[in-house]
Structure formats: C-alpha cells, structure tokens
C-alpha cells in the first residue's frame, strides 16, 4: 500500500534499504533538479563535510548512502538517492533528502514529487509519495523529506521546507563548508559542452603565408661568349685580355726573340796577329 503523504506527515519504514526518487516535468524554462542528502548526527548537524552526498561527492565514505543519478522516464525526469538503512553508522540520527535547482526558483519546476521505494523489491509500488509545493516559490533548494531513527527502526517524514540561498545556504545551515564554485553546477553532469575561448588579437594564430610560384620572364639576356681556358692553365680573368697565342702543349710559352741581325752589332777589335793574313 502506498501512502500519499501531506506536509508534516510521517510513516514507519519496514525496509532495510530505501530509494528516494525525485521526479519533475521538464520543459522550456524549467531548471534541472539535483537530488542530494545530508547525514546528521544527534545534534542535528553533520560531523564533517563528508556527510554531504551530492553531485560532486556522490557517495558517502561509509558506502551506505549514494546518488544513482538522473534518468528519463515516461512521466518526466528523475534523480535518485539510495540509503542502506541497516548499515548507516549508529551516530547518524537522520538523513535529509534535498532537491536543488542551481539558483533557479522552484516556482518554475512543474509537478515535483518524491517517491520512496523499498530498494530490495524490484518493480514494486512505492512505500510513499509526497507532492512538493514550495511555500513562496522563491526557494532554490528544498528539504523534501527526512529519514530518521525511531527506536530500532526508521521513519519517513514529509518536510517541504525551502531555502532562497540555494544548496550552499542549506548545506551551510547544517554545518557544511561548501566551496561555492564547486556547488554551483554538477561537475560530472555538465549541461552543455563549454565553449572554447576566442583568441585575442595578441594570441590569435597567424595564417600561414600563401606560397606562390614566381613568374618566369619571357626571355633572358644571353651571357657573352667565353673562350675556354687552355688545357692545364688557369682561366684568365675577364678583365684581362686573352693572349694572342696559346701556349704549346705541355711547355711554357716562349719569349719572343729579338730581331736579327741587330743593326747596332759590332765585331770586337782584331789583334795584329789577324791583320794581313
């Protein structure tokens, strides 16, 4: 039998493990809802930040409370928290079942309802359900229900109390030191892929220069004819006139002989022994 609960009502739980399911109707302008849980000690506060089970810390260190994550069903979207009540540490007196809407007011969330199932019964009817209606509509976080000890057993209470300062304000009120940057949006379930930053002119990539083939001239001036060097000798510099005669093969060039006979040539004086003979 399913209990249709009103705000403030409570029912006993015979199950040793329960599954708390938040369900809502998606649509344009409807925020995404996240389920979380706070494990409170006898003083009504957490013992440490590890007693906060949410999207950035989806499992309690004891392994007895954890998030199952979101799912699309025929009636809408769901997010689920499961608790093994038989294994919860004895110093934990209650578990708060929380819904948050990422700083969007719950007046935009349609048909928000909490179902509590016996986690050991597959496909069974819920133990109880509770229609959650914000008091002002400006709430951005809601305590939907509470699992609490009564003697040796557990009970479920329908709460429906909200906070206008979101999940951060709710968690802080129960002793959690929350990093607002970490709690502002789920890290494991981003709604959209982050856009890449647009490069600034100082860091924008410079386009590769276009490589063009040089235009070939239609005609080229021909070089002046060059006389090949003599075999075995270095080539004469272009600034010196080429010799009139090539050297003989294998020998240096002969020096030009003086004109003969020389008109100024005179015989040496003759001795007397050569006169008259």
């Amino acid at each position: 039998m399913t209990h249709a609960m009103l705000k403030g009502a409570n029912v006993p739980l015979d199950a040793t493990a329960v599954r708390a399911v938040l369900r809502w109707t998606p649509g344009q302008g409807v925020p995404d809802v996240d389920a979380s849980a706070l494990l409170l000690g006898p003083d009504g506060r957490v013992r440490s930040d590890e007693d906060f089970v949410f999207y950035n810390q989806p499992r309690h260190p004891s392994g007895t409370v954890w998030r199952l994550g979101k799912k699309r069903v025929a009636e809408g979207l769901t997010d689920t928290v499961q608790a093994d009540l038989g294994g919860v540490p004895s110093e934990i007196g209650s578990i708060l079942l929380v819904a948050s809407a990422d700083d969007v007011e719950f007046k935009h969330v349609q048909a928000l309802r909490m179902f509590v199932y016996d986690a050991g019964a597959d496909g069974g009817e819920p133990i109880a359900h509770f229609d959650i209606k914000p008091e002002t509509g400006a709430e951005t976080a809601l305590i939907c229900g509470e699992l609490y000890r009564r003697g040796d057993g557990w009970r479920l209470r329908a709460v429906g109390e909200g906070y206008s300062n979101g999940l951060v304000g709710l968690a802080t009120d129960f002793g959690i030191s929350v990093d607002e940057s970490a709690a502002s949006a789920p890290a494991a379930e981003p709604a959209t892929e982050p856009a890449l930053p647009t490069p600034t002119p100082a860091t924008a990539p410079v386009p590769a220069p276009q490589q063009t083939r040089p235009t070939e001239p239609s005609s080229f001036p021909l070089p002046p004819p060059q006389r090949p060097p003599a075999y075995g000798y270095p080539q004469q510099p272009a600034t010196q006139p080429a010799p009139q005669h090539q050297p003989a093969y294998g020998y240096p060039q002969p020096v030009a002989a003086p004109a003969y006979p020389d008109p100024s040539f005179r015989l040496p004086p003759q001795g007397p022994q050569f006169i008259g003979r």
Side-chain angles (χ1 to χ4, degrees):
M1 175 181 174
T2 300
H3 298 274
M5 303 181 68
L6 298 176
K7 184 175 180 178
N10 62 82
V11 295
L13 297 173
D14 296 330
T16 58
V18 295
R19 189 168 62 251
V21 180
L22 289 176
R23 191 187 73 190
W24 68 97
T25 302
Q28 185 175 5
V30 178
D32 198 22
V33 177
D34 296 297
S36 54
L38 284 86
L39 287 71
L40 308 181
D43 59 351
R45 295 173 64 86
V46 298
R47 301 166 301 169
S48 70
D49 290 355
E50 292 182 339
D51 287 339
F52 185 23
V53 176
F54 69 121
Y55 38 73
N56 282 344
Q57 187 170 271
R59 193 176 188 89
H60 190 262
S62 67
T64 58
V65 180
W66 65 95
R67 289 183 73 240
L68 293 178
K70 292 183 172 63
K71 183 185 296 185
R72 182 176 292 275
V73 296
E75 298 83 2
L77 293 175
T78 66
D79 198 5
T80 304
V81 172
Q82 184 161 322
D84 179 9
L85 299 178
V88 173
S90 59
E91 58 269 26
I92 299 298
S94 63
I95 301 172
L96 299 184
L97 304 172
V98 176
S100 59
D102 193 21
D103 295 334
V104 180
E105 296 175 344
F106 265 95
K107 65 182 179 182
H108 300 291
V109 180
Q110 304 297 319
L112 182 62
R113 176 176 284 191
M114 181 181 69
F115 298 87
V116 177
Y117 293 86
D118 182 350
D122 295 333
E125 293 293 323
I127 299 172
H129 67 77
F130 171 43
D131 291 330
I132 305 167
K133 297 179 180 180
E135 294 181 352
T136 67
E139 296 89 345
T140 53
L142 290 167
I143 301 175
C144 301
E146 180 185 15
L147 303 170
Y148 64 97
R149 293 184 187 271
R150 176 60 62 87
D152 295 333
W154 288 81
R155 299 179 72 89
L156 169 67
R157 177 185 292 120
V159 180
E161 296 179 358
Y163 286 73
S164 60
N165 52 354
L167 186 61
V168 172
L170 186 152
T172 303
D173 201 27
F174 288 93
I176 295 290
S177 301
V178 180
D179 181 359
E180 296 190 20
S181 61
S184 60
E189 301 170 354
T192 57
E193 184 177 355
L196 295 176
T198 302
T200 60
T203 60
V206 179
Q210 297 293 328
Q211 296 182 358
T212 57
R213 184 183 299 275
T215 304
E216 296 182 359
S218 57
S219 61
F220 293 90
L222 295 177
Q226 300 291 331
R227 177 175 297 177
Y231 185 84
Y233 289 86
Q235 186 177 3
Q236 295 291 338
T239 56
Q240 297 180 3
Q244 298 297 324
H245 301 284
Q246 297 292 337
Y249 179 80
Y251 293 89
Q253 185 176 3
V255 180
Y260 187 80
D262 187 357
S264 61
F265 177 75
R266 293 291 183 270
L267 291 174
Q270 300 292 324
Q273 65 270 27
F274 296 103
I275 299 175
R277 288 191 182 185

